[in-house]
Amino acid sequence: MRGAKSAKWVTGAIVVALAATACGGNDKGAAGKGEVDPNGIYSVEVGEPEKLLQPADTMESNGSIVMSGLFSQLVDYDADGKLVMVNAESVDSKDSKLWTVKLKPGWTFHDGTKVTADSYVKAWNWAANINNKQGNASWFADIKGYEALHPEAEGAKPTAEALEGLKVVDENTFTIELANAVPYFAYKLGYEVFSPLPESFYKDPKAAGEKPVGNGPYKFKSWEHKKQIELTRFDDYKGENKAKNGGVILKNYSTLETAYEDLKSGNVDVLRQIGPKDLPVYRNDLGDRAVDQAYSAVQTLAIAFYADQWKTPKPVDPKVIQGLSMAIDRDTITKTVLQGTREPATGWVAKGVLGYTPNATGDVTKFNPAKAKELITAGGGVPNNEISIQFNSDGGHKEWVDAVCNSITQATGVKCTGDAKPDFQADLQARKSKQVKSIYRSGWVLDYPVNANFISDLFRTGAGGNQGGFSNADLDAKIAAADTAPSLDESVKAYQQVEKDLVNYMPSIPLWYYKVNAGFSEKVQNVKYAQDGDPILEGVEVKK
């Protein structure tokens, strides 16, 4: 299934699949049509997953692409953002608070055991339990009884064994009662955190994370850490997106440049991204095998509000962050350093999702050195008159970080330097352990195609994606009001207003909207990329 990704941090600068039904879009996928080997194996460029392969603990793109092949969800979405049933026969609610899920019968896990209502309910209860330390546990906070299973107080223990709102009706039916009505809740069920789990998982969750058993189009074969992960086709898969190949090898690369050289020499078949150095030439090099298409993700500079720089002697004034934003010449950087492969952002919500609003930021994302200086001064100045931007060196970010820093320094006199981490794992760990010194590069791709995903899941106090420690009671109240709107349409409209209000808080600085700039080898065809930017693994055809 190619749907919602786990609250997914984007590893690279130059890339990184809504449903297999959603993708359509890349006409270059048909390059060099030839006779197909239905059992052919091909390879994809990835990095080492940050954590074990557990659905509720995967929060970045290297792990998420693996999980998308191993697990199918209840729902997915088509290219227009419309719900598509996958493992679910139906997901219904009369009041947006009590939801009834009916499963398609006959589905099995890769170990041959049945996928039942209990497979979902038990998995969600395990993931939400604070004792199991799952990074995406907060995604179950909508469900009644979450606080008892996942108390907020530090060191507190659960006072319940299960989520009160989950009830198994029969083998193929269960109900979900939410604490409050959430009009877009069905959309959230396409996210990998809501995967079912087989009974074998609970015997040894750590071992299951090394050798996961899912219900998706591929089954796990092997994981050579920091080298590759191999998946093979699951022939008993009941979904419509059956694999058109025999399997896929997800090859670990430490640099995008190395991956690109391997693509040209035929040692890897599908790339998720092209590094800055090769952007000027990859279209000529690859011809019809070059990919250039938009997808629903946005690059920002997120503020580490817990860092001494921003919290002492008093919290930073949003005017300072507004000023830094207006000191960035997005037009020039996207046209030169990024070779036109990015579009300057004018908001926090990515294109292609319900509720996207052009120019939600007003003037705050427009380059204006004089106004930038004025705002920074009015806000009390940047502490120590210097900032740093943390980024992962393996993602092709150095060039644009340097350009952003130069733009800020030239426009305002604020010293700006890059703070490179060796790889995406190290970058994420620094964020999670609250060791970011100033600002960090943040890339966010949709988990579900509703604007709430780019606001509530990033800026709500305690949200799983809120790694910068931003917290504002007024904004939380506005988000809660949008979540409890009487209809999906009204909720989307309420979030549009919340996005416009974000300029008064500046939890991060929008930079640009992502595009897929990638390519594939002569060995494969029908290579398509979905709305979250990843290649649709099961759709790739291997030539004989």
Side-chain angles (χ1 to χ4, degrees), residues 399-471:
E399 291 84 354
W400 71 256
V401 169
D402 287 345
V404 166
C405 275
N406 288 337
S407 183
I408 289 173
T409 300
Q410 290 176 14
T412 67
V414 174
K415 182 180 179 182
C416 179
T417 56
D419 181 10
K421 301 300 176 185
D423 53 37
F424 199 32
Q425 285 181 306
D427 177 42
L428 289 173
Q429 286 305 312
R431 299 191 212 172
K432 291 175 182 179
S433 59
K434 298 189 182 303
Q435 294 179 350
V436 178
K437 301 180 185 73
S438 180
I439 295 172
Y440 61 92
R441 176 213 68 91
S442 177
W444 188 260
V445 62
L446 87 169
D447 300 310
Y448 52 95
V450 182
N451 54 358
N453 183 224
F454 288 83
I455 300 173
S456 178
D457 296 314
L458 284 173
F459 307 134
R460 187 184 73 253
T461 300
N466 188 350
Q467 295 183 330
F470 175 79
S471 180

Side-chain angles (χ1 to χ4, degrees), residues 156-419:
K157 300 294 183 182
T159 57
E161 294 182 355
L163 291 162
E164 182 183 348
L166 295 181
K167 305 291 183 187
V168 174
V169 177
D170 58 41
E171 184 173 85
N172 291 312
T173 310
F174 66 101
T175 59
I176 310 163
E177 183 180 359
L178 307 183
N180 299 289
V182 179
Y184 56 87
F185 184 75
Y187 280 82
K188 300 179 80 167
L189 296 177
Y191 174 29
E192 288 153 10
V193 70
F194 294 105
S195 297
L197 291 171
E199 279 300 312
S200 60
F201 174 89
Y202 307 101
K203 296 175 184 176
D204 189 342
K206 183 177 180 181
E210 290 280 358
K211 298 180 179 180
V213 174
N215 67 327
Y218 294 98
K219 58 184 179 181
F220 178 85
K221 182 176 181 180
S222 63
W223 184 359
E224 296 179 68
H225 284 278
K226 297 191 175 182
K227 185 176 180 182
Q228 66 181 39
I229 295 173
E230 188 167 359
L231 310 180
T232 59
R233 185 180 61 228
F234 178 42
D235 288 329
D236 292 329
Y237 180 61
K238 298 299 190 294
E240 294 183 5
N241 56 317
K242 294 178 182 290
K244 296 180 179 179
N245 51 72
V248 55
I249 298 172
L250 300 149
K251 298 179 68 173
N252 189 193
Y253 285 90
S254 58
T255 71
L256 300 180
E257 291 76 19
T258 301
Y260 185 64
E261 292 303 314
D262 267 9
L263 176 72
K264 291 192 294 182
S265 59
N267 292 321
V268 69
D269 298 308
V270 178
L271 298 190
R272 297 181 300 163
Q273 54 188 326
I274 303 290
K277 182 178 74 70
D278 297 307
L279 283 177
V281 299
Y282 89 103
R283 294 179 184 86
N284 285 334
D285 287 349
L286 302 180
D288 286 345
R289 293 180 290 111
V291 177
D292 184 352
Q293 72 176 63
Y295 73 104
S296 297
V298 62
Q299 181 98 287
T300 66
L301 295 179
I303 314 302
F305 287 95
Y306 55 77
D308 289 342
Q309 175 176 27
W310 304 118
K311 69 180 182 181
T312 58
K314 63 180 181 179
V316 63
D317 189 318
K319 289 187 178 69
V320 173
I321 304 171
Q322 291 173 350
L324 291 173
S325 176
M326 296 188 77
I328 300 170
D329 188 352
R330 294 165 180 78
D331 286 338
T332 298
I333 294 171
T334 53
K335 288 175 182 175
T336 57
V337 178
L338 294 172
Q339 294 289 313
T341 62
R342 294 289 176 272
E343 180 182 346
T346 60
W348 285 267
V349 175
K351 290 189 169 184
V353 304
L354 295 175
Y356 162 75
T357 303
N359 201 30
T361 54
D363 292 337
V364 168
T365 49
K366 295 178 181 177
F367 182 53
N368 187 331
K371 186 65 175 178
K373 287 182 182 179
E374 179 185 322
L375 285 166
I376 290 172
T377 300
V382 174
N384 302 321
N385 203 43
E386 63 178 312
I387 58 172
S388 61
I389 300 173
Q390 178 179 299
F391 65 96
N392 51 303
S393 297
D394 61 344
H397 301 295
K398 184 180 186 302
E399 291 84 354
W400 71 256
V401 169
D402 287 345
V404 166
C405 275
N406 288 337
S407 183
I408 289 173
T409 300
Q410 290 176 14
T412 67
V414 174
K415 182 180 179 182
C416 179
T417 56
D419 181 10

